[in-house]
C-alpha cells in the first residue's frame, strides 16, 4: 500500500490519475518558494504549504478532482497566511484596547487582593469577581450563574467577610469583626 492510500485511508484508485504523492513531489518546492515570496519567512512558507497539503488530504477525492490542484494548494496556503496574519493583528489590537496602563505603585495592593481571593472558595470568588470587577448587579449574576439572587447575596456577604479577614491577616493586622 502506498503513502496516498494511508493518507486518504483507502486503497489507491487507478482511475484517479495523479496521486497526492505525485502532486507533492512535483509542486512542494515550487509552492514553498512562492509562499516564501508572500510571507518573507522560509519556515512559515513551509508550514503553510504543509498545511495546504494536509487540507488536501483531508478533503479526499474531492481534491483530486479539482481543475488545477496546484492553484488550489497555493490559494489554500495564502488564505491560511492571511488568516494567521489577521489573528495576530486582531490579537495585538485587543491587547492594546483591553489591557489597562500599568500602575506599578498600585500593583502591590492588587497582588495582595488577588492572593486573598485565591484563598476563597470558587463560588465566592466567582460572585465577588463578577460583582466588583465586572460591575454586574446581583440579579444579573444570578441569571448568569443559574442560582437564586439570595444565593448570590449570601456568597457575596461570606466572600467579603472572608476576604476582609484574609487581607487583615496578610497586612499583619488584627480582624476586629
Amino acid at each position: 500500500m502506498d503513502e496516498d492510500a494511508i493518507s486518504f485511508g483507502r486503497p489507491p484508485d487507478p482511475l484517479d490519475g495523479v496521486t497526492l504523492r505525485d502532486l507533492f513531489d512535483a509542486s512542494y518546492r515550487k509552492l514553498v518558494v512562492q509562499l516564501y515570496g508572500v510571507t518573507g519567512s522560509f519556515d512559515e512558507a513551509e508550514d503553510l504549504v504543509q498545511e495546504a497539503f494536509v487540507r488536501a488530504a483531508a478533503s479526499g477525492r474531492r481534491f483530486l478532482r479539482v481543475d488545477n490542484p496546484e492553484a488550489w494548494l497555493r490559494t489554500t496556503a495564502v488564505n491560511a497566511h492571511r488568516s494567521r496574519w489577521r489573528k495576530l493583528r486582531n490579537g495585538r489590537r485587543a491587547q492594546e484596547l483591553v489591557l489597562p496602563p500599568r500602575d506599578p505603585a498600585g500593583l502591590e495592593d492588587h497582588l495582595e487582593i488577588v492572593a486573598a481571593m485565591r484563598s476563597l472558595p470558587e463560588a465566592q470568588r466567582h460572585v465577588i469577581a463578577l460583582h466588583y470587577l465586572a460591575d454586574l448587579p446581583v440579579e444579573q449574576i444570578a441569571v448568569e450563574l443559574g442560582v437564586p439572587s439570595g444565593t448570590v447575596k449570601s456568597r457575596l456577604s461570606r466572600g467579603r467577610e472572608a476576604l476582609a479577614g484574609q487581607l487583615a491577616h496578610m497586612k499583619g493586622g488584627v480582624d476586629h469583626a
Side-chain angles (χ1 to χ4, degrees):
M1 191 178 268
D2 70 1
E3 290 86 0
D4 291 318
I6 295 169
S7 66
F8 284 127
R10 63 176 172 78
D13 185 351
L15 300 176
D16 279 345
V18 177
T19 66
L20 186 62
R21 181 63 192 197
D22 295 337
L23 187 61
F24 182 87
D25 290 341
S27 303
Y28 179 79
R29 295 179 95 187
K30 260 193 301 193
L31 290 169
V32 169
V33 169
Q34 292 165 7
L35 266 291
Y36 176 64
V38 171
T39 65
S41 165
F42 184 75
D43 291 336
E44 186 174 0
E46 277 191 319
D47 191 38
L48 291 166
V49 171
Q50 290 168 7
E51 185 174 335
F53 273 99
V54 167
R55 290 182 185 183
S59 67
R61 291 183 182 205
R62 287 181 297 151
F63 170 73
L64 294 175
R65 291 195 177 98
V66 298
D67 291 333
N68 188 340
E70 190 173 303
W72 187 95
L73 288 163
R74 182 177 34 261
T75 301
T76 301
V78 168
N79 288 343
H81 172 66
R82 287 181 183 146
S83 178
R84 287 180 185 181
W85 180 83
R86 235 181 273 117
K87 286 177 185 175
L88 286 172
R89 181 196 64 197
N90 292 342
R92 278 190 230 111
R93 284 183 183 167
Q95 285 179 337
E96 291 168 5
L97 296 174
V98 174
L99 295 178
R102 291 186 175 211
D103 178 16
L107 186 58
E108 205 168 293
D109 290 336
H110 293 300
L111 292 176
E112 289 175 359
I113 293 170
V114 168
M117 283 185 70
R118 285 187 185 137
S119 71
L120 299 178
E122 184 178 348
Q124 291 175 6
R125 187 172 60 239
H126 202 160
V127 296
I128 286 177
L130 291 174
H131 188 67
Y132 292 105
L133 301 178
D135 288 328
L136 296 180
V138 170
E139 295 76 24
Q140 188 173 350
I141 295 170
V143 169
E144 284 192 22
L145 297 180
V147 298
S149 61
T151 302
V152 173
K153 290 176 186 176
S154 173
R155 289 177 184 173
L156 278 171
S157 176
R158 290 179 182 157
R160 281 191 297 257
E161 189 176 314
L163 195 55
Q166 195 65 347
L167 288 171
H169 177 72
M170 291 173 86
K171 292 211 183 234
V174 178
D175 187 14
H176 298 290

